[in-house]
Each structure stands twice: as C-alpha cells, then as structure tokens.
C-alpha cells in the first residue's frame, strides 16, 4: 500500500480533497492510502509513517524547498498540488499527477 499524504495549513479543505482522491483510488482498486494533515504535524507524520508521496497544498507551497531538503529521499516524491485542481477539488487530476510523479521517481 502506497501512502500519499497531503499537507496544508489547517487540513480542512485538504481533507476533502484527500477523500476525493481516496474515492478515485478505491474505484480503480489502486493500493493507495490518501490522508490529509496540517503542516504543523509534518515532521511527526513523515518520520513515523514514511509516506511515498508528500503533497503540499497551495497555501504551503512556500515550504516546498525546505520540505524537499528535509524529507526527500530516493523512492519518494515531494510535490505541490496544482492550485486550479485544488480550487476545484479535482481529486482525480491530483491523484494522477501524484501517481505520474511517483512512477517517474521510482524508475530512476
């Protein structure tokens, strides 16, 4: 089971996006767990759960470089969520983007 975890300021709207992404994953029988967390929980969550994908909401895209430096390792990805896809809560597009990025990384 791959773990795709979303992080934003409070985690409320991101929780809705995560549930939409999980629904798409479940409908396609993809072994992916999608969850959302507040960026204040990032260190604890990443260190304890070792997600395969770290997705940053548009509100926290300013911490992208810091997140890559601290948490990026071979086999996982760190990416920002497209603001339009986030705004429209397009779980399918966000999941596809994350899966494509993850696939590219795992082929390195």
């Amino acid at each position: 089971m791959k773990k795709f975890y979303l992080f934003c300021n409070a985690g409320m709207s991101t929780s809705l996006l995560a549930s939409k992404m999980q629904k798409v994953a479940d409908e396609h029988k993809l072994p992916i767990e999608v969850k959302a967390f507040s960026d204040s929980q990032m260190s604890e969550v990443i260190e304890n759960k070792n997600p395969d994908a770290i997705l940053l909401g548009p509100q926290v895209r300013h911490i992208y470089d810091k997140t890559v430096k601290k948490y990026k390792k071979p086999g996982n990805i760190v990416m920002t969520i497209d603001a339009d896809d986030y705004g429209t809560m397009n779980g399918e597009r966000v999941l596809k983007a994350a899966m494509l990025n993850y696939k590219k990384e795992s082929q390195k």
Side-chain angles (χ1 to χ4, degrees), residues 20-46:
K20 289 181 179 232
M21 291 170 67
Q22 186 67 64
K23 184 177 180 207
V24 172
D26 292 346
E27 287 171 354
H28 291 88
K29 296 181 177 25
L30 300 170
I32 298 173
E33 172 188 71
V34 184
K35 290 188 175 181
F37 302 92
S38 166
D39 64 331
S40 65
Q41 299 173 285
M42 186 178 283
S43 290
E44 178 185 345
V45 170
I46 292 172

Short mmCIF file of all heavy atoms in Angstrom, two decimals, residues 20-46:
data_model
loop_
_atom_site.label_atom_id
_atom_site.label_comp_id
_atom_site.label_asym_id
_atom_site.label_seq_id
_atom_site.Cartn_x
_atom_site.Cartn_y
_atom_site.Cartn_z
N LYS A 20 -11.65 12.74 -1.81
CA LYS A 20 -11.98 12.58 -3.23
C LYS A 20 -10.91 11.76 -3.95
O LYS A 20 -11.22 10.91 -4.79
CB LYS A 20 -12.15 13.94 -3.90
CG LYS A 20 -13.41 14.65 -3.45
CD LYS A 20 -13.57 16.00 -4.14
CE LYS A 20 -14.86 16.65 -3.68
NZ LYS A 20 -15.70 17.08 -4.77
N MET A 21 -9.66 11.99 -3.60
CA MET A 21 -8.57 11.21 -4.18
C MET A 21 -8.68 9.75 -3.75
O MET A 21 -8.49 8.84 -4.56
CB MET A 21 -7.22 11.78 -3.74
CG MET A 21 -6.90 13.13 -4.33
SD MET A 21 -5.44 13.89 -3.58
CE MET A 21 -4.14 12.77 -4.14
N GLN A 22 -9.01 9.50 -2.49
CA GLN A 22 -9.15 8.14 -1.99
C GLN A 22 -10.28 7.42 -2.71
O GLN A 22 -10.17 6.24 -3.04
CB GLN A 22 -9.38 8.14 -0.48
CG GLN A 22 -9.38 6.75 0.14
CD GLN A 22 -8.02 6.09 0.07
OE1 GLN A 22 -7.06 6.55 0.66
NE2 GLN A 22 -7.92 4.98 -0.67
N LYS A 23 -11.37 8.14 -2.95
CA LYS A 23 -12.50 7.56 -3.66
C LYS A 23 -12.09 7.10 -5.06
O LYS A 23 -12.44 6.00 -5.49
CB LYS A 23 -13.65 8.58 -3.75
CG LYS A 23 -14.90 8.03 -4.37
CD LYS A 23 -16.02 9.05 -4.37
CE LYS A 23 -17.25 8.42 -5.02
NZ LYS A 23 -18.12 9.38 -5.62
N VAL A 24 -11.33 7.93 -5.77
CA VAL A 24 -10.85 7.57 -7.11
C VAL A 24 -9.93 6.34 -7.02
O VAL A 24 -10.05 5.40 -7.81
CB VAL A 24 -10.12 8.76 -7.78
CG1 VAL A 24 -9.44 8.33 -9.07
CG2 VAL A 24 -11.08 9.91 -8.03
N ALA A 25 -9.02 6.35 -6.05
CA ALA A 25 -8.11 5.21 -5.88
C ALA A 25 -8.90 3.93 -5.60
O ALA A 25 -8.61 2.88 -6.19
CB ALA A 25 -7.13 5.50 -4.75
N ASP A 26 -9.90 4.02 -4.74
CA ASP A 26 -10.71 2.85 -4.40
C ASP A 26 -11.50 2.35 -5.61
O ASP A 26 -11.60 1.15 -5.84
CB ASP A 26 -11.66 3.17 -3.24
CG ASP A 26 -10.94 3.41 -1.93
OD1 ASP A 26 -9.74 3.08 -1.82
OD2 ASP A 26 -11.58 3.96 -1.01
N GLU A 27 -12.08 3.30 -6.37
CA GLU A 27 -12.86 2.91 -7.55
C GLU A 27 -12.00 2.16 -8.57
O GLU A 27 -12.50 1.29 -9.28
CB GLU A 27 -13.47 4.15 -8.21
CG GLU A 27 -14.63 4.74 -7.44
CD GLU A 27 -15.10 6.09 -7.98
OE1 GLU A 27 -14.46 6.65 -8.90
OE2 GLU A 27 -16.11 6.59 -7.46
N HIS A 28 -10.72 2.52 -8.65
CA HIS A 28 -9.82 1.87 -9.60
C HIS A 28 -8.99 0.76 -8.95
O HIS A 28 -8.05 0.25 -9.56
CB HIS A 28 -8.91 2.92 -10.25
CG HIS A 28 -9.65 3.85 -11.16
ND1 HIS A 28 -10.23 5.01 -10.71
CD2 HIS A 28 -9.92 3.76 -12.48
CE1 HIS A 28 -10.82 5.61 -11.73
NE2 HIS A 28 -10.65 4.88 -12.81
N LYS A 29 -9.36 0.41 -7.72
CA LYS A 29 -8.69 -0.64 -6.97
C LYS A 29 -7.17 -0.44 -6.90
O LYS A 29 -6.39 -1.38 -7.05
CB LYS A 29 -9.03 -2.02 -7.55
CG LYS A 29 -10.51 -2.35 -7.43
CD LYS A 29 -10.83 -3.70 -7.99
CE LYS A 29 -12.27 -4.13 -7.85
NZ LYS A 29 -13.31 -3.19 -7.72
N LEU A 30 -6.77 0.82 -6.68
CA LEU A 30 -5.36 1.16 -6.55
C LEU A 30 -4.95 1.03 -5.09
O LEU A 30 -5.65 1.51 -4.20
CB LEU A 30 -5.11 2.59 -7.03
CG LEU A 30 -5.47 2.89 -8.48
CD1 LEU A 30 -5.39 4.38 -8.75
CD2 LEU A 30 -4.57 2.12 -9.42
N PRO A 31 -3.83 0.39 -4.82
CA PRO A 31 -3.39 0.21 -3.43
C PRO A 31 -2.72 1.48 -2.89
O PRO A 31 -1.51 1.53 -2.65
CB PRO A 31 -2.40 -0.95 -3.53
CG PRO A 31 -1.82 -0.81 -4.90
CD PRO A 31 -2.93 -0.27 -5.77
N ILE A 32 -3.53 2.53 -2.73
CA ILE A 32 -3.03 3.82 -2.28
C ILE A 32 -3.88 4.31 -1.11
O ILE A 32 -5.11 4.27 -1.18
CB ILE A 32 -3.07 4.86 -3.42
CG1 ILE A 32 -2.17 4.43 -4.58
CG2 ILE A 32 -2.66 6.24 -2.92
CD1 ILE A 32 -2.28 5.30 -5.81
N GLU A 33 -3.21 4.76 -0.07
CA GLU A 33 -3.86 5.38 1.08
C GLU A 33 -3.63 6.89 0.96
O GLU A 33 -2.48 7.32 0.87
CB GLU A 33 -3.26 4.85 2.37
CG GLU A 33 -3.73 5.58 3.61
CD GLU A 33 -2.96 5.16 4.84
OE1 GLU A 33 -1.77 5.52 4.96
OE2 GLU A 33 -3.55 4.46 5.67
N VAL A 34 -4.71 7.66 0.95
CA VAL A 34 -4.60 9.12 0.85
C VAL A 34 -5.13 9.73 2.15
O VAL A 34 -6.26 9.45 2.55
CB VAL A 34 -5.41 9.67 -0.35
CG1 VAL A 34 -5.19 11.17 -0.49
CG2 VAL A 34 -5.03 8.95 -1.64
N LYS A 35 -4.31 10.55 2.78
CA LYS A 35 -4.72 11.22 4.02
C LYS A 35 -4.22 12.66 3.99
O LYS A 35 -3.25 12.98 3.30
CB LYS A 35 -4.14 10.51 5.25
CG LYS A 35 -4.76 9.16 5.52
CD LYS A 35 -4.28 8.62 6.84
CE LYS A 35 -4.99 7.31 7.16
NZ LYS A 35 -4.55 6.78 8.45
N ALA A 36 -4.88 13.50 4.78
CA ALA A 36 -4.51 14.92 4.86
C ALA A 36 -4.13 15.28 6.30
O ALA A 36 -4.73 14.76 7.25
CB ALA A 36 -5.66 15.79 4.39
N PHE A 37 -3.17 16.17 6.41
CA PHE A 37 -2.68 16.61 7.71
C PHE A 37 -2.35 18.09 7.67
O PHE A 37 -2.08 18.65 6.61
CB PHE A 37 -1.39 15.86 8.09
CG PHE A 37 -1.54 14.37 8.12
CD1 PHE A 37 -1.25 13.61 6.99
CD2 PHE A 37 -1.96 13.72 9.27
CE1 PHE A 37 -1.38 12.22 7.02
CE2 PHE A 37 -2.09 12.34 9.30
CZ PHE A 37 -1.80 11.59 8.17
N SER A 38 -2.31 18.69 8.82
CA SER A 38 -1.84 20.07 8.96
C SER A 38 -0.32 20.07 8.81
O SER A 38 0.35 19.12 9.22
CB SER A 38 -2.23 20.61 10.33
OG SER A 38 -1.52 21.79 10.60
N ASP A 39 0.22 21.14 8.24
CA ASP A 39 1.68 21.21 8.10
C ASP A 39 2.38 21.23 9.46
O ASP A 39 3.55 20.88 9.55
CB ASP A 39 2.10 22.41 7.24
CG ASP A 39 1.76 23.75 7.85
OD1 ASP A 39 0.78 23.85 8.59
OD2 ASP A 39 2.48 24.72 7.56
N SER A 40 1.67 21.58 10.52
CA SER A 40 2.27 21.55 11.85
C SER A 40 2.56 20.12 12.31
O SER A 40 3.36 19.91 13.22
CB SER A 40 1.37 22.26 12.87
OG SER A 40 0.16 21.56 13.03
N GLN A 41 1.93 19.13 11.68
CA GLN A 41 2.15 17.72 12.01
C GLN A 41 3.16 17.05 11.08
O GLN A 41 3.44 15.87 11.23
CB GLN A 41 0.83 16.95 11.89
CG GLN A 41 -0.28 17.41 12.79
CD GLN A 41 -1.56 16.68 12.46
OE1 GLN A 41 -2.21 16.97 11.46
NE2 GLN A 41 -1.92 15.71 13.27
N MET A 42 3.70 17.81 10.14
CA MET A 42 4.50 17.22 9.07
C MET A 42 5.66 16.36 9.59
O MET A 42 5.80 15.21 9.18
CB MET A 42 5.02 18.31 8.14
CG MET A 42 5.75 17.76 6.93
SD MET A 42 6.31 19.05 5.81
CE MET A 42 4.80 19.49 5.00
N SER A 43 6.47 16.89 10.46
CA SER A 43 7.64 16.13 10.95
C SER A 43 7.23 14.81 11.57
O SER A 43 7.77 13.76 11.22
CB SER A 43 8.43 16.95 11.97
OG SER A 43 9.07 18.02 11.34
N GLU A 44 6.27 14.87 12.47
CA GLU A 44 5.83 13.66 13.16
C GLU A 44 5.26 12.64 12.18
O GLU A 44 5.60 11.45 12.23
CB GLU A 44 4.77 14.03 14.20
CG GLU A 44 4.21 12.86 14.95
CD GLU A 44 3.08 13.24 15.89
OE1 GLU A 44 2.90 14.45 16.18
OE2 GLU A 44 2.36 12.34 16.31
N VAL A 45 4.39 13.08 11.28
CA VAL A 45 3.75 12.17 10.33
C VAL A 45 4.78 11.53 9.40
O VAL A 45 4.78 10.32 9.19
CB VAL A 45 2.65 12.90 9.52
CG1 VAL A 45 2.16 12.05 8.36
CG2 VAL A 45 1.49 13.30 10.42
N ILE A 46 5.65 12.34 8.84
CA ILE A 46 6.62 11.82 7.88
C ILE A 46 7.60 10.87 8.56
O ILE A 46 7.91 9.80 8.02
CB ILE A 46 7.34 12.97 7.15
CG1 ILE A 46 6.34 13.69 6.24
CG2 ILE A 46 8.52 12.44 6.34
CD1 ILE A 46 6.87 14.95 5.60
#
